[in-house]
Amino acid sequence: MTELIPAPLSVTAYSERVFTLDEDTTLTAGPGVGSAERWLRTTLQAATGLPLRQGEPGPPGRAALNSVELRHDHALPPGGYRITVRDDRALVRSGDQAGAFHAAQTLRQLLGPDAFRRAHLGRTAWELPEVEIADAPRFAWRGLMLDVARHFMPKDGVLRYLDLMAAHKLNVLHFHLTDDQGWRVEIKRYPRLTETGSWRARTKLGHRASPLWEEKPHGGYYTQDDIREIVAYAAERHITVVPEIDVPGHSQAAIAAYPELGNTDVIDTTSLTVWDTWGITANVLAPTDNTLRFYEGVFEELLELFPSEFVHVGGDECLKDQWRQSPAAQARIAGLGLADEDELQAWFIGHFDNWLSARGRRLIGWDEILEGGLAKGAAVSSWRGYQGGIAAARAGHDVVMCPEQYVYLDHRQDGGEDEPVPIGYVRTLEDVYRFEPVPPALTEQEARHVLGTQANVWTEVMEDQGRVDYQAFPRLAAFAEVAWSRLPAPQERDFTGFERRMTAHYARLDALGVAYRPPTGPRPWQRRPGVLGRPLDGPPPNR
């Protein structure tokens, strides 16, 4: 079972022998790796039925006989580890606690797919192959963006996705909490954000051009204690949760709850409701002092909930028609000496960049925040292709590469007629596997600004957990390898070998209950006949 995903730096097989774990096998941890030991013991006790009692450490450089031992090794890099299974013992060394946790995930893969189950099936033989594995991550930011605003994912589903991320050595959950279609986080000083903003009366079924509607309310939100639980659960798995509160566009749910946030001199904002369809609405935040103070209050509560270095403020797809028509917005432009509405948005984003910086945090936003100028400390999520990331890196800004042409997992996986609610371009498992996060146009110095990469899951047409699973997997496994492993250039990557390893990995996903898209196409219950999508033909534009 050395068909590992993501691929480690090196795997050396010692022999055909195995280390058989039994009732007497111990699990021991030295200083600095205790959290990984607790996770590993709890997980494997449930799956294997073995007691895995605490044991005594072995001599220097070697675990005790019939023992799995975790040790800290200062010589290994952050996140890195080395596993040595030989002579009926396993020694796991790691550069830090994150490395120990990543090693624990690899050990679980080595034990076979039944080690991914939550209860013991009665199996008596559990074997580790005699191998030496050396490994370390390529990127520090290995992310998944999960949109819970368009379709709400209950807390248990979020915790499940944190487990799935951990199993693939992903370490950043970009949590898209607000949009036109719903506000998903409790803000105590502004209760109407969830009382009103978290529910819509009905939902467009399929693409926005579809004539179909789901005629029932949809919504939900996370209490602040829910958020604390999610953040703590993620931290135990060495995952950072980065919240996103979208401003100044994608804000109709907030305006529906507090109409004074909108452009009241252009439209009757009291008539707005939480949006029930998809696309980009013209209803954006008013660039007023009242709006700034309101969102400062929102961010003050968020900073208490999320200890992450970065806070995402969206900044994308802000239609500026209302600002052009608004006497108040035009007076703000003139009063600040700005050139146009693009610079007004830059001023808006810059305000929160300064506000967050003063509190020891960093702003990150979609690449539209480059338009009109970007504050010095801000980072960019480059989604409209590579160009935004290239421009940001060349200007000295840190970048997370997430171009829609490769890693928007809401795009369809195949061109077949059975593909459910087909959106966008065909992006196959191989396409994702050949994605390269660092553009070759960057110099070595500029490339250092690429913090890493993330896959994005937008849920307009994903009404439940099964649909999210279908769109995310197996492509998220390919993405995880791109983010973790030091792969050759895209066209030199061994996709055939990856497919072979995926054969073993599908069994792990089955054990985890992941409703992935099979290589042969969707299962009958995964199809959505008659629900209109928006497929785009040909290869995506290479921007």
Side-chain angles (χ1 to χ4, degrees), residues 8 15 34 62 98 114 141 153 162 179 201 211 226 290 293 334 391 415 444 464 492 509 524:
S15 69
R62 201 174 195 196
D114 284 345
W141 186 301
M153 180 179 284
L162 289 168
D179 218 294
D226 290 337
N290 175 66
R293 300 293 87 75
E444 182 177 350
D464 56 31
E492 298 172 9
L509 296 178

Side-chain angles (χ1 to χ4, degrees), residues 42 46 102 145 152 188 197 206 254 379 385 395 406 418 457 470-471 492 519 538:
T42 301
H102 300 323
M145 194 288 306
F152 179 64
K188 291 187 176 181
Y406 285 94
D418 288 335
V457 178
Y470 180 91
Q471 293 299 134
E492 298 172 9

Side-chain angles (χ1 to χ4, degrees), residues 8-53:
L9 284 171
S10 67
V11 179
T12 303
Y14 283 129
S15 69
E16 296 297 320
R17 294 183 68 248
V18 296
F19 167 27
T20 301
L21 283 65
D22 57 28
E23 294 286 328
D24 296 322
T25 302
T26 59
L27 177 59
T28 305
V33 293
S35 62
E37 177 212 20
R38 289 190 297 274
W39 179 90
L40 186 61
R41 176 177 281 107
T42 301
T43 302
L44 294 188
Q45 281 177 337
T48 67
L50 299 175
L52 297 174
R53 299 178 184 90

Side-chain angles (χ1 to χ4, degrees), residues 228-379:
R228 292 184 181 97
E229 181 182 358
I230 289 167
V231 169
Y233 195 85
E236 290 173 354
R237 287 148 183 78
H238 297 274
I239 296 171
T240 299
V241 184
V242 174
E244 180 182 355
I245 302 295
D246 221 329
V247 296
H250 287 289
S251 298
Q252 184 164 321
I255 299 169
Y258 290 91
E260 64 270 22
L261 296 174
N263 294 283
T264 57
D265 55 349
V266 176
I267 63 163
D268 176 14
T269 56
T270 62
S271 68
L272 295 179
T273 60
V274 178
W275 215 25
D276 56 14
T277 190
W278 317 123
I280 308 173
T281 176
N283 296 303
V284 302
L285 297 175
T288 64
D289 289 342
N290 175 66
T291 300
L292 297 181
R293 300 293 87 75
F294 183 96
Y295 275 87
E296 286 172 3
V298 169
F299 285 121
E300 280 178 4
E301 294 196 25
L302 279 184
L303 297 191
E304 293 294 320
L305 299 171
F306 295 94
S308 57
E309 175 186 5
F310 287 98
V311 174
H312 208 290
V313 300
D316 61 316
E317 298 179 328
C318 178
L319 299 182
K320 301 178 176 65
D321 293 342
Q322 290 184 357
W323 286 357
R324 294 186 184 96
Q325 300 166 26
S326 164
Q330 292 302 310
R332 176 69 88 176
I333 290 172
L336 293 170
L338 304 177
D340 53 22
E341 290 77 18
D342 284 343
E343 287 195 4
L344 182 62
Q345 177 169 341
W347 165 82
F348 196 106
I349 297 297
H351 173 86
F352 287 104
D353 180 58
N354 293 330
W355 190 91
L356 289 166
S357 295
R359 288 154 182 81
R361 306 297 184 94
R362 293 182 65 189
L363 179 145
I364 186 169
W366 302 110
D367 55 55
E368 285 97 329
I369 69 174
L370 289 164
E371 298 165 4
L374 182 57
K376 183 177 180 182

